[in-house]
Amino acid sequence: MIGYAGAPPGAVVALLAFVIALFLLWARELGFKGAWEKFGLQSLSPPLWKQENIDRFKALFVDEQKLVKACTVSVALIALSMLLPRNLVIFVFLAAVALGVFEVYRTTSSAARPGTRIN
């Protein structure tokens, strides 16, 4: 559906937005290092369809709420690209990514100091 609506480049952009959104959702919970290890991209071995790689990819899709949120971001990006000028959509997407990165840093920095006093 996205490939038909947004043309083949739109499908690639939607897939890229899905992966970025899913990574940021996992990073919000686990931190950037934990999300990178959860994705396991540093230890993938060719070919990608080997059973150990498939098992690693299946672990990413266990949390259905994160999966639905990432799909929503991807579809909303394609919908916005049909309604608004492309430059504005890119700006909105980059602003959303920056907000997501800021949120990850904010939540991991406050959770990283267990010995601090609460006022």
Side-chain angles (χ1 to χ4, degrees):
M1 171 98 62
I2 290 175
Y4 182 75
V12 171
V13 168
L15 185 62
L16 185 64
F18 171 77
V19 169
I20 291 171
L22 189 62
F23 180 79
L24 286 175
L25 287 168
W26 277 110
R28 185 173 184 214
E29 181 180 320
L30 304 172
F32 284 117
K33 185 177 179 182
W36 185 258
E37 291 171 358
K38 180 83 172 170
F39 271 60
L41 299 177
Q42 72 277 6
S43 60
L44 288 179
S45 59
L48 290 178
W49 53 85
K50 284 175 43 178
Q51 188 60 38
E52 61 190 37
N53 292 337
I54 292 173
D55 292 339
R56 183 165 293 128
F57 289 139
K58 284 181 183 177
L60 294 174
F61 302 116
V62 170
D63 192 353
E64 293 174 0
Q65 288 182 343
K66 287 181 181 65
L67 188 64
V68 168
K69 288 178 184 179
C71 286
T72 302
V73 167
S74 178
V75 171
L77 182 69
I78 294 298
L80 280 176
S81 70
M82 288 186 214
L83 296 173
L84 301 173
R86 182 168 291 154
N87 294 338
L88 185 60
V89 173
I90 291 170
F91 177 73
V92 168
F93 179 70
L94 291 177
V97 168
L99 183 65
V101 169
F102 175 73
E103 181 69 22
V104 170
Y105 276 123
R106 188 177 67 85
T107 57
T108 56
S109 66
S110 64
R113 292 181 255 132
T116 57
R117 290 181 34 185
I118 299 174
N119 293 331

